[in-house]
Amino acid sequence: MNKTTIGWASGWASGLLGVIIFSGSLPATRVAVLGFDPVFLTVARASIAGLLGGFLLLAFRENLPKRSELKGLFIVAIGVVVGFPLLTALALEHITSAHSIVFIGLLPLATAIFGVVRGGERPRPAFWLFSVMGSALVVGYAASQGMTASPKGDLLMLAAIIVCGLGYAEGASLSRRMGGWQVISWALVLSLPLMLPLALYTVPAGFETVDAGAWLGFGYVSVFSMLIGFVFWYRGLALGGTATVGQLQLLQPFFGFALAAMLLHEPVTTGMMAVTAAIIMCVAGARFSAGRSFSAGRSGAPAAAQELRRSSTS
């Protein structure tokens, strides 16, 4: 078995572990916002992860990012360090985590679309057909709930998916040059000058009303969702290729439903499952229709070799 094959296998394993970790993010956020203000939760989790990321960079004596890489790192920070956590925390004040997981079915599609925009690819028309169908399913599901249940929560989740897709696509591109865990660590560190002061400014006067569940949710999203999950996820993207490993996100709604039902005892309706399955079919169709535009052949092998070299020298 050659190094490239080993790299792809390792990439799939790392990507799957990352997806499993991310699957707990929305249920954990749902629990955390019951005890913490969403803004404080966002800036505090980013601050904790940023301090941990900075420690990792110092411990492994990583070089400073190049000037040409700073723009991409700021995009990653805006998308996955600030945008997605804040928007989902605000959304989960109005909707259940099980409801929000339906929208996660669009995340692979959003990542693919930003990959197209950034890379200048021209997928086949069928790709856009599946894209529109997936989006229509999400809007239709929200409308079936009457849109009076929480249109605000639904719109916040859609915005969260858009910014997260942008952050994933940009992070995947950077990971080919910088390495998987370095991307999220530098993005977190670059966010610290803003996040840490805001965390200190918005810290609650007291924590007497915060129960153990909220603390556990806070700890999970701060350490696992904000840092450890991305270590595995971006490493997986670098080793196995963005398109191939990115398809593992299709499993995230199912993992999330299971966690929401087991841990939060939230109802998971047949309708939710049916819509999520239909969305996943549309995303899979879009991926397949894109053909070689999304294949890992152009960047997957070089990324795998680069990441293996990084791993062997760390």
Side-chain angles (χ1 to χ4, degrees), residues 180-191:
W181 67 269
Q182 292 90 336
V183 170
I184 188 60
S185 294
W186 279 118
L188 288 164
V189 168
L190 290 174
S191 304

Side-chain angles (χ1 to χ4, degrees), residues 36-45 47 194-207:
F36 297 98
D37 176 77
V39 174
F40 170 74
L41 178 64
T42 300
V43 295
R45 66 188 276 187
S47 298
L194 175 64
M195 295 291 102
L196 188 56
L198 286 176
L200 295 175
Y201 179 76
T202 58
V203 64
F207 297 99

Side-chain angles (χ1 to χ4, degrees), residues 96-124:
T96 67
S97 63
H99 183 95
S100 68
I101 289 167
V102 174
F103 293 87
I104 299 300
L106 284 175
L107 188 51
L109 181 58
T111 305
I113 290 174
F114 280 111
V116 169
V117 173
R118 186 184 181 283
E121 303 286 351
R122 295 183 179 180
R124 301 165 186 170

Side-chain angles (χ1 to χ4, degrees), residues 17 29 34 63 111 128 146 151-152 154 159-160 169 178 229 243 269 280 283 286:
L17 186 52
T29 301
L34 297 177
N63 295 324
T111 305
W128 302 114
K152 183 177 181 180
D154 290 339
M178 299 178 64
T269 66
I280 288 174
V283 175

